[in-house]
Amino acid sequence: METKTMPVRRKDFIWREVDGETVIISSDNKLMHVLNETATMIWLLLDGNHDQDSIAEIVAAEFGGSLEIVKKDLNDCMEQLRALNLLEV
Amino acid sequence: MDTCEHTLDLMKTFDGFMNEKYWARNRPINIHFELTQRCNLRCVHCLFTHEVRNELTTDEILSIIDHLRKLGVISLSLSGGEIFTRKDVSEILKFLIKERFLLTLYTNGTLINDSLFDTITTLKPFRVEISVYGATPDIHDVITKVPGSFQKTIRSMRVLSEIGIPVIFKGFLLKHNFHQRYQMMELAKQVGVEYAFDFNLMPMENGRLDNLSAGLSINQIRSIYHEVNKEELILRNTVKIKTRDSQLPKGGNVICNPGRISGCISSTGDVFPCPTLRIPIGNLREQSFEDIWRTDKIDSLRYMRLEDLKTCSACTTLEYCNRCPGVAYLETGDYLGPSPNAVCSKYKSLIEERKEGLNDE
């Protein structure tokens, strides 16, 4: 798995963080997603300034738990975000 | 980590999120922002007086937009007057490229130059709604009172459509253009844009009713009711009284929800609970939008119930009526009362057609 690139969230989507969760809407209003609190924290870090390892460290520090498990969960989340086409290619 | 995918209709498919984050907390999601009262057209039916008062400055507008985004507002409509009469409109639109809203632009299309087309292309609005009042220049321009407006409007529609911007041909039916309604549909199809028609007029913002005389006659509206759904005549705003069970506060039948998740900002910074219900609840030069919206002083508006209506609640035609609190307020100053001229005089004569229309749905 590639963890040294700095992933970036799609810039053409409209998103709002509301009380810790995030709603994401495509500009044609046809695709919508809701991210829970953990995924929201990851989403906020997908700013092009953090690689996956550093995101994992921040998430682990915030929510606790083993870094290795967080890395695995983060990888799953990134796969989902990619599958949903929410990341810049 | 769970993500949740939904498609299409915002309010229906996002019920859980929207109910919890927006409806339950009266958090604004849709804001209609009137950037200016200025307009280069003088349409016979317009509700605005176009008296230009102390309009918001560029900095004030940008600051308000930024605040709205931070509050969680997703959908923003820019309206007027005519938004492209503002000299700073390009700056505002460029700011919105960064701010990212589900954006709708309301315009007559006559003032969009090449540079603005480029900006709109980059902006990628959700849609641009362009008002059209006829299928030919002689009809449209008589209604707008500006010769040449038809050609400019249709040109903008074509250009926007060609560059891939979703455009709505917003046909407004009046006595004077009623005979062209099917030509207008054909024109929209020829230009390659979606179309929808409206004919519900609102009294003027100063309470005068002069503009209502331009509206359709009873017989013209009767014709429309027979044509809708049979002749592809798509209507907007066919509002009727109905309850919204999922949002009912205790013991009430809520008939309208102004000031809950949708609101309006005027060109002078007044905040209204709805673009039609023009009761100012605060001004953005004195308070932030959040502080204005937080008030419970407008709960009687937010949770209007059937039994609150004066006169109308006992009316036998209420179920089939296009009653609107904002129209009643504009006409009489009482949003809970009837609208004798704008609504009652027409819909009481159309009760059979309304029943038939509802049964068709």
Side-chain angles (χ1 to χ4, degrees), chain B residues 7 30 33 40 82 84 93 146 160 172 175 179 181 190 204 207 212 230 261 266 282 323 332:
Chain B
T7 55
N30 305 301
F33 199 162
N40 58 323
E82 169 52 47
F84 291 102
L93 296 182
V146 175
L160 289 169
F172 204 97
K175 270 196 188 86
H179 64 289
R181 60 198 181 284
Q190 183 200 333
M204 296 181 73
L212 299 183
K230 294 170 189 161
I261 63 162
S266 81
R323 186 190 183 284
T332 69

PDB file of all heavy atoms in Angstrom, chain B residues 7 30 33 40 82 84 93 146 160 172 175 179 181 190 204 207 212 230 261 266 282 323 332:
ATOM      1  N   THR B   7     -28.204   8.975  -3.447  1.00  0.00           N
ATOM      2  CA  THR B   7     -28.255   9.638  -4.744  1.00  0.00           C
ATOM      3  C   THR B   7     -29.492  10.517  -4.836  1.00  0.00           C
ATOM      4  O   THR B   7     -30.454  10.350  -4.115  1.00  0.00           O
ATOM      5  CB  THR B   7     -28.323   8.612  -5.894  1.00  0.00           C
ATOM      6  OG1 THR B   7     -29.435   7.761  -5.652  1.00  0.00           O
ATOM      7  CG2 THR B   7     -27.065   7.809  -5.994  1.00  0.00           C
ATOM      8  N   ASN B  30     -30.610  26.283   3.013  1.00  0.00           N
ATOM      9  CA  ASN B  30     -30.857  26.977   1.739  1.00  0.00           C
ATOM     10  C   ASN B  30     -31.022  28.466   2.007  1.00  0.00           C
ATOM     11  O   ASN B  30     -31.913  28.846   2.775  1.00  0.00           O
ATOM     12  CB  ASN B  30     -32.177  26.517   1.099  1.00  0.00           C
ATOM     13  CG  ASN B  30     -32.251  25.027   0.915  1.00  0.00           C
ATOM     14  OD1 ASN B  30     -31.426  24.444   0.247  1.00  0.00           O
ATOM     15  ND2 ASN B  30     -33.262  24.411   1.509  1.00  0.00           N
ATOM     16  N   PHE B  33     -30.289  34.786  -1.594  1.00  0.00           N
ATOM     17  CA  PHE B  33     -29.581  36.046  -1.330  1.00  0.00           C
ATOM     18  C   PHE B  33     -29.872  37.023  -2.473  1.00  0.00           C
ATOM     19  O   PHE B  33     -29.432  36.807  -3.605  1.00  0.00           O
ATOM     20  CB  PHE B  33     -28.077  35.764  -1.230  1.00  0.00           C
ATOM     21  CG  PHE B  33     -27.269  36.835  -0.535  1.00  0.00           C
ATOM     22  CD1 PHE B  33     -26.002  36.541  -0.045  1.00  0.00           C
ATOM     23  CD2 PHE B  33     -27.748  38.121  -0.359  1.00  0.00           C
ATOM     24  CE1 PHE B  33     -25.232  37.496   0.612  1.00  0.00           C
ATOM     25  CE2 PHE B  33     -26.999  39.089   0.286  1.00  0.00           C
ATOM     26  CZ  PHE B  33     -25.741  38.785   0.769  1.00  0.00           C
ATOM     27  N   ASN B  40     -32.292  45.992 -14.939  1.00  0.00           N
ATOM     28  CA  ASN B  40     -32.269  46.729 -16.206  1.00  0.00           C
ATOM     29  C   ASN B  40     -33.571  46.525 -16.980  1.00  0.00           C
ATOM     30  O   ASN B  40     -33.766  47.155 -18.013  1.00  0.00           O
ATOM     31  CB  ASN B  40     -31.071  46.282 -17.055  1.00  0.00           C
ATOM     32  CG  ASN B  40     -31.088  44.792 -17.333  1.00  0.00           C
ATOM     33  OD1 ASN B  40     -31.477  43.997 -16.474  1.00  0.00           O
ATOM     34  ND2 ASN B  40     -30.667  44.406 -18.519  1.00  0.00           N
ATOM     35  N   GLU B  82     -31.618  42.263 -10.744  1.00  0.00           N
ATOM     36  CA  GLU B  82     -30.801  41.520 -11.694  1.00  0.00           C
ATOM     37  C   GLU B  82     -29.370  41.510 -11.175  1.00  0.00           C
ATOM     38  O   GLU B  82     -28.738  42.571 -11.052  1.00  0.00           O
ATOM     39  CB  GLU B  82     -30.896  42.175 -13.081  1.00  0.00           C
ATOM     40  CG  GLU B  82     -29.894  41.665 -14.097  1.00  0.00           C
ATOM     41  CD  GLU B  82     -29.890  40.144 -14.219  1.00  0.00           C
ATOM     42  OE1 GLU B  82     -30.983  39.541 -14.322  1.00  0.00           O
ATOM     43  OE2 GLU B  82     -28.788  39.554 -14.209  1.00  0.00           O
ATOM     44  N   PHE B  84     -26.580  40.746 -12.373  1.00  0.00           N
ATOM     45  CA  PHE B  84     -25.472  41.208 -13.213  1.00  0.00           C
ATOM     46  C   PHE B  84     -25.464  42.727 -13.400  1.00  0.00           C
ATOM     47  O   PHE B  84     -24.638  43.254 -14.153  1.00  0.00           O
ATOM     48  CB  PHE B  84     -25.479  40.463 -14.549  1.00  0.00           C
ATOM     49  CG  PHE B  84     -25.106  39.013 -14.384  1.00  0.00           C
ATOM     50  CD1 PHE B  84     -26.080  38.015 -14.392  1.00  0.00           C
ATOM     51  CD2 PHE B  84     -23.788  38.639 -14.154  1.00  0.00           C
ATOM     52  CE1 PHE B  84     -25.740  36.683 -14.211  1.00  0.00           C
ATOM     53  CE2 PHE B  84     -23.442  37.303 -13.970  1.00  0.00           C
ATOM     54  CZ  PHE B  84     -24.420  36.322 -13.991  1.00  0.00           C
ATOM     55  N   LEU B  93     -18.726  36.247  -7.710  1.00  0.00           N
ATOM     56  CA  LEU B  93     -18.749  34.904  -8.298  1.00  0.00           C
ATOM     57  C   LEU B  93     -17.388  34.216  -8.142  1.00  0.00           C
ATOM     58  O   LEU B  93     -17.314  33.009  -7.863  1.00  0.00           O
ATOM     59  CB  LEU B  93     -19.149  34.964  -9.770  1.00  0.00           C
ATOM     60  CG  LEU B  93     -20.575  35.479 -10.055  1.00  0.00           C
ATOM     61  CD1 LEU B  93     -20.871  35.436 -11.547  1.00  0.00           C
ATOM     62  CD2 LEU B  93     -21.625  34.695  -9.289  1.00  0.00           C
ATOM     63  N   VAL B 146     -38.218  46.541 -22.423  1.00  0.00           N
ATOM     64  CA  VAL B 146     -36.875  46.867 -22.932  1.00  0.00           C
ATOM     65  C   VAL B 146     -36.669  46.197 -24.289  1.00  0.00           C
ATOM     66  O   VAL B 146     -36.470  44.974 -24.365  1.00  0.00           O
ATOM     67  CB  VAL B 146     -35.772  46.418 -21.948  1.00  0.00           C
ATOM     68  CG1 VAL B 146     -34.388  46.654 -22.535  1.00  0.00           C
ATOM     69  CG2 VAL B 146     -35.912  47.150 -20.624  1.00  0.00           C
ATOM     70  N   LEU B 160     -24.708  29.503 -22.423  1.00  0.00           N
ATOM     71  CA  LEU B 160     -24.540  28.729 -21.184  1.00  0.00           C
ATOM     72  C   LEU B 160     -24.789  27.251 -21.437  1.00  0.00           C
ATOM     73  O   LEU B 160     -24.072  26.382 -20.927  1.00  0.00           O
ATOM     74  CB  LEU B 160     -25.500  29.256 -20.103  1.00  0.00           C
ATOM     75  CG  LEU B 160     -25.149  30.623 -19.523  1.00  0.00           C
ATOM     76  CD1 LEU B 160     -26.291  31.163 -18.673  1.00  0.00           C
ATOM     77  CD2 LEU B 160     -23.867  30.556 -18.689  1.00  0.00           C
ATOM     78  N   PHE B 172     -42.595  32.511 -17.569  1.00  0.00           N
ATOM     79  CA  PHE B 172     -43.637  33.059 -16.706  1.00  0.00           C
ATOM     80  C   PHE B 172     -44.837  33.415 -17.569  1.00  0.00           C
ATOM     81  O   PHE B 172     -44.725  34.182 -18.522  1.00  0.00           O
ATOM     82  CB  PHE B 172     -43.126  34.293 -15.934  1.00  0.00           C
ATOM     83  CG  PHE B 172     -43.908  34.508 -14.677  1.00  0.00           C
ATOM     84  CD1 PHE B 172     -43.439  34.047 -13.461  1.00  0.00           C
ATOM     85  CD2 PHE B 172     -45.160  35.124 -14.711  1.00  0.00           C
ATOM     86  CE1 PHE B 172     -44.188  34.203 -12.304  1.00  0.00           C
ATOM     87  CE2 PHE B 172     -45.911  35.283 -13.557  1.00  0.00           C
ATOM     88  CZ  PHE B 172     -45.424  34.822 -12.350  1.00  0.00           C
ATOM     89  N   LYS B 175     -51.148  37.251 -18.987  1.00  0.00           N
ATOM     90  CA  LYS B 175     -52.216  37.426 -19.989  1.00  0.00           C
ATOM     91  C   LYS B 175     -51.642  37.627 -21.392  1.00  0.00           C
ATOM     92  O   LYS B 175     -52.120  37.067 -22.362  1.00  0.00           O
ATOM     93  CB  LYS B 175     -53.018  38.687 -19.639  1.00  0.00           C
ATOM     94  CG  LYS B 175     -54.193  38.463 -18.722  1.00  0.00           C
ATOM     95  CD  LYS B 175     -55.128  39.666 -18.771  1.00  0.00           C
ATOM     96  CE  LYS B 175     -56.201  39.520 -17.701  1.00  0.00           C
ATOM     97  NZ  LYS B 175     -55.763  40.047 -16.397  1.00  0.00           N
ATOM     98  N   HIS B 179     -50.845  32.910 -25.059  1.00  0.00           N
ATOM     99  CA  HIS B 179     -51.040  32.227 -26.342  1.00  0.00           C
ATOM    100  C   HIS B 179     -49.730  31.643 -26.886  1.00  0.00           C
ATOM    101  O   HIS B 179     -49.758  30.839 -27.813  1.00  0.00           O
ATOM    102  CB  HIS B 179     -51.642  33.197 -27.369  1.00  0.00           C
ATOM    103  CG  HIS B 179     -50.738  34.340 -27.699  1.00  0.00           C
ATOM    104  ND1 HIS B 179     -50.468  35.370 -26.820  1.00  0.00           N
ATOM    105  CD2 HIS B 179     -50.009  34.617 -28.816  1.00  0.00           C
ATOM    106  CE1 HIS B 179     -49.632  36.227 -27.373  1.00  0.00           C
ATOM    107  NE2 HIS B 179     -49.321  35.801 -28.593  1.00  0.00           N
ATOM    108  N   ARG B 181     -47.525  29.894 -25.031  1.00  0.00           N
ATOM    109  CA  ARG B 181     -46.918  28.947 -24.082  1.00  0.00           C
ATOM    110  C   ARG B 181     -46.303  27.731 -24.773  1.00  0.00           C
ATOM    111  O   ARG B 181     -45.262  27.243 -24.363  1.00  0.00           O
ATOM    112  CB  ARG B 181     -47.928  28.532 -23.013  1.00  0.00           C
ATOM    113  CG  ARG B 181     -49.180  27.841 -23.517  1.00  0.00           C
ATOM    114  CD  ARG B 181     -50.273  27.869 -22.458  1.00  0.00           C
ATOM    115  NE  ARG B 181     -51.487  27.210 -22.882  1.00  0.00           N
ATOM    116  CZ  ARG B 181     -52.363  27.729 -23.736  1.00  0.00           C
ATOM    117  NH1 ARG B 181     -52.146  28.893 -24.303  1.00  0.00           N
ATOM    118  NH2 ARG B 181     -53.458  27.069 -24.048  1.00  0.00           N
ATOM    119  N   GLN B 190     -35.588  23.740 -28.417  1.00  0.00           N
ATOM    120  CA  GLN B 190     -34.664  24.071 -29.513  1.00  0.00           C
ATOM    121  C   GLN B 190     -33.315  24.553 -28.961  1.00  0.00           C
ATOM    122  O   GLN B 190     -32.252  24.214 -29.490  1.00  0.00           O
ATOM    123  CB  GLN B 190     -35.319  25.160 -30.368  1.00  0.00           C
ATOM    124  CG  GLN B 190     -34.527  25.574 -31.578  1.00  0.00           C
ATOM    125  CD  GLN B 190     -34.986  26.944 -32.079  1.00  0.00           C
ATOM    126  OE1 GLN B 190     -36.131  27.345 -31.885  1.00  0.00           O
ATOM    127  NE2 GLN B 190     -34.092  27.655 -32.714  1.00  0.00           N
ATOM    128  N   MET B 204     -46.973  43.505  -4.946  1.00  0.00           N
ATOM    129  CA  MET B 204     -45.697  44.217  -4.866  1.00  0.00           C
ATOM    130  C   MET B 204     -45.215  44.321  -3.423  1.00  0.00           C
ATOM    131  O   MET B 204     -46.005  44.235  -2.483  1.00  0.00           O
ATOM    132  CB  MET B 204     -45.837  45.601  -5.492  1.00  0.00           C
ATOM    133  CG  MET B 204     -46.139  45.522  -6.977  1.00  0.00           C
ATOM    134  SD  MET B 204     -46.275  47.142  -7.741  1.00  0.00           S
ATOM    135  CE  MET B 204     -44.544  47.643  -7.774  1.00  0.00           C
ATOM    136  N   GLY B 207     -46.992  46.502  -1.062  1.00  0.00           N
ATOM    137  CA  GLY B 207     -48.396  46.225  -0.787  1.00  0.00           C
ATOM    138  C   GLY B 207     -49.332  46.600  -1.924  1.00  0.00           C
ATOM    139  O   GLY B 207     -50.527  46.274  -1.890  1.00  0.00           O
ATOM    140  N   LEU B 212     -50.825  42.790 -10.338  1.00  0.00           N
ATOM    141  CA  LEU B 212     -51.614  41.556 -10.458  1.00  0.00           C
ATOM    142  C   LEU B 212     -52.492  41.542 -11.715  1.00  0.00           C
ATOM    143  O   LEU B 212     -52.869  40.473 -12.198  1.00  0.00           O
ATOM    144  CB  LEU B 212     -52.503  41.370  -9.220  1.00  0.00           C
ATOM    145  CG  LEU B 212     -51.794  41.225  -7.865  1.00  0.00           C
ATOM    146  CD1 LEU B 212     -52.803  40.966  -6.754  1.00  0.00           C
ATOM    147  CD2 LEU B 212     -50.762  40.101  -7.912  1.00  0.00           C
ATOM    148  N   LYS B 230     -50.758  16.687 -19.422  1.00  0.00           N
ATOM    149  CA  LYS B 230     -51.273  16.100 -20.656  1.00  0.00           C
ATOM    150  C   LYS B 230     -50.529  16.651 -21.861  1.00  0.00           C
ATOM    151  O   LYS B 230     -50.452  16.021 -22.888  1.00  0.00           O
ATOM    152  CB  LYS B 230     -52.767  16.411 -20.787  1.00  0.00           C
ATOM    153  CG  LYS B 230     -53.595  15.734 -19.695  1.00  0.00           C
ATOM    154  CD  LYS B 230     -55.024  16.234 -19.688  1.00  0.00           C
ATOM    155  CE  LYS B 230     -55.724  15.691 -18.439  1.00  0.00           C
ATOM    156  NZ  LYS B 230     -56.926  16.447 -18.109  1.00  0.00           N
ATOM    157  N   ILE B 261     -35.082  25.891   7.815  1.00  0.00           N
ATOM    158  CA  ILE B 261     -33.840  25.535   7.114  1.00  0.00           C
ATOM    159  C   ILE B 261     -33.633  26.403   5.867  1.00  0.00           C
ATOM    160  O   ILE B 261     -32.627  26.279   5.197  1.00  0.00           O
ATOM    161  CB  ILE B 261     -33.792  24.038   6.734  1.00  0.00           C
ATOM    162  CG1 ILE B 261     -34.905  23.691   5.758  1.00  0.00           C
ATOM    163  CG2 ILE B 261     -33.841  23.166   7.977  1.00  0.00           C
ATOM    164  CD1 ILE B 261     -34.659  22.397   5.027  1.00  0.00           C
ATOM    165  N   SER B 266     -31.974  40.177   2.065  1.00  0.00           N
ATOM    166  CA  SER B 266     -32.261  41.231   1.080  1.00  0.00           C
ATOM    167  C   SER B 266     -30.980  41.981   0.722  1.00  0.00           C
ATOM    168  O   SER B 266     -29.938  41.818   1.383  1.00  0.00           O
ATOM    169  CB  SER B 266     -33.295  42.212   1.632  1.00  0.00           C
ATOM    170  OG  SER B 266     -32.657  43.133   2.492  1.00  0.00           O
ATOM    171  N   GLY B 282     -34.278  40.611  11.377  1.00  0.00           N
ATOM    172  CA  GLY B 282     -33.010  41.167  11.829  1.00  0.00           C
ATOM    173  C   GLY B 282     -32.268  41.719  10.638  1.00  0.00           C
ATOM    174  O   GLY B 282     -32.669  41.499   9.486  1.00  0.00           O
ATOM    175  N   ARG B 323     -52.674  28.803  -1.152  1.00  0.00           N
ATOM    176  CA  ARG B 323     -52.441  29.801  -0.117  1.00  0.00           C
ATOM    177  C   ARG B 323     -50.961  29.872   0.258  1.00  0.00           C
ATOM    178  O   ARG B 323     -50.294  28.850   0.408  1.00  0.00           O
ATOM    179  CB  ARG B 323     -53.259  29.438   1.130  1.00  0.00           C
ATOM    180  CG  ARG B 323     -53.180  30.506   2.170  1.00  0.00           C
ATOM    181  CD  ARG B 323     -53.780  30.081   3.489  1.00  0.00           C
ATOM    182  NE  ARG B 323     -53.716  31.226   4.379  1.00  0.00           N
ATOM    183  CZ  ARG B 323     -52.590  31.619   4.957  1.00  0.00           C
ATOM    184  NH1 ARG B 323     -51.473  30.948   4.781  1.00  0.00           N
ATOM    185  NH2 ARG B 323     -52.567  32.699   5.711  1.00  0.00           N
ATOM    186  N   THR B 332     -52.042  41.933   2.602  1.00  0.00           N
ATOM    187  CA  THR B 332     -52.865  42.485   3.691  1.00  0.00           C
ATOM    188  C   THR B 332     -52.076  42.815   4.946  1.00  0.00           C
ATOM    189  O   THR B 332     -52.617  43.433   5.860  1.00  0.00           O
ATOM    190  CB  THR B 332     -53.952  41.468   4.093  1.00  0.00           C
ATOM    191  OG1 THR B 332     -53.311  40.341   4.726  1.00  0.00           O
ATOM    192  CG2 THR B 332     -54.750  40.987   2.891  1.00  0.00           C
TER     193      THR B 332
END
